[in-house]
Amino acid sequence: MEEFAEVKISGKSYELPVITGTEDEKGIDITKLRALSGAITLDSGFKNTGATKSAVTYLDGENGILRYRGYSIEELAEKASFMEVSYLLINGELPTTAQLSEFEGEITNHTLIHEDMKRFFEAYPSKAHPMGIVASLLCSLSTFYPDSQNPNRTEEEIELTIFRLLAKLPTIAAWAYKNFVGHPVVYPKNELNYGDNFLNMMFSLPSEDYKIDPVVSDALNKLLILHADHEQNCSASTVRIVGSSHANLYSSISAGVIALWGPLHGGANQAVIEMLESIHADGSPLEDWINKAKDKNDPFRLMGFGHRVYKNFDPRAKIIKKAADDVLSKLGINDPLIDIAKQLEEVALNDEYFKARNLYPNVDFYSGIIYKALGIPTEMFTVMFALGRLPGWIAQWKEMIENKEPIGRPRQIYTGENERSFVTAEKR
Ligand code: ACO
């Protein structure tokens, strides 16, 4: 039975269709509202606006549910490999053994980056933030593969770009890190799996091969899976909107990396560790920091707390918290920051301000602690997030292109001056 919503504007009523999703979520289709009534809707920050219909990820923030293509995040984090999850997100179904091995084979084939690209690294200042390098180099890939710039690409060409992106991002990311620490780059080792190859490029030295600890390898696999997609968040929406102009896929993903960099989005994982370090160094009671976070005249916020859509708990944070405990105990690491994080969580969760606003730890609250335990420096945290999020961005972009979605172009309510005449400078 078709459902309608009634909107009354200046005494006149309009009927708008109600769309129902597969999980029974409702949305009012306002596509014709302006044509019918002359009015638009206004929703700053898109807090209540569906930008698209999507079959990639289901998220129920009230009940802490997250599923990729119908599979729960808990089950995927426990049982799947990051490559299986990447295939699932991009192609819609889990791969068979043969499909997985072909997918991994294609990715392994493209892990090298053009030697000319190595010169870019020389031009960056040492200590250049790896996110800046990663975003620029992903965009630069489009100049090495000019065919990718054609908006009327064939399916095979698109697939090749997807393989190249998945294959080359770990190399670019690890080399950005090597630039940061001033070490020579390490080339990909194709006999290793996706995560282990990345760890090897990060931590191998000419004098010493890096021995991959299975605890580290497992934790990285889990972290990449937990970050792989999160429906229409700031960076995925950026990828979709940039891609909707038919800008090439490399550039659309590069735009997503930039959106992710902000401390209100993926950059929060770096900000969390910096905050915990400041709390540790400062030594003031935790209540002082909580009060600072509550003070509207103080710009300080409790990083890693709060989420636009999770208003109960972030299911990823639950899994990561347990994984952080496992990693620290298996690696025998005693990190005072984890104690501070746990105490902070407890104080905040029992505080009226945080309770009233449904502010809970998000995925970034504990991910930084694991990254730190794995030996990954703070400046690389958001890059790690990008590495995990890449298949999600690709899946979101692919869906947008396959659905032939129109160019993203929001409207506005103009609040500036009415028309006025130009006055020459001497008369102003
Ligand atoms: N510390 C203190 N107060 C907070 C926090 C926080 N971390 N987060 C939200 N609030 C307060 C706001 O001041 C506001 O209070 P008010 O109603 O009295 O004005 C209320 O809670 C609602 O917050 P909004 O900013 O309106 O919520 P929004 O959905 O726009 O923002 C966001 C969500 C950006 C995640 C926010 O909670 C935040 O800044 N958190 C810290 C940064 C962070 O951890 N980001 C990572 C998000 S996860 C991710 O992107 C992977």
Side-chain angles (χ1 to χ4, degrees), residues 271-324:
V272 169
I273 289 292
E274 286 165 357
M275 174 187 77
L276 294 174
E277 281 169 350
S278 306
I279 296 177
H280 184 51
D282 180 79
S284 324
L286 285 181
E287 279 73 15
D288 291 1
W289 292 89
I290 299 277
N291 288 336
K292 248 169 98 60
K294 293 187 323 193
D295 181 356
K296 294 284 170 214
N297 298 317
D298 191 322
F300 175 75
R301 277 190 164 195
L302 215 51
M303 298 314 289
F305 265 77
H307 199 279
R308 170 59 61 80
V309 288
Y310 291 121
K311 300 299 176 196
N312 181 341
F313 67 94
D314 180 340
R316 303 165 302 169
K318 232 179 177 176
I319 303 171
I320 287 197
K321 185 179 177 184
K322 187 176 172 306

Side-chain angles (χ1 to χ4, degrees), residues 363-383:
V363 67
D364 285 330
F365 192 65
Y366 281 104
S367 64
I369 288 169
I370 308 195
Y371 291 140
K372 194 164 173 278
L374 303 189
I376 292 166
T378 325
E379 290 75 6
M380 278 297 285
F381 288 1
T382 318
V383 174

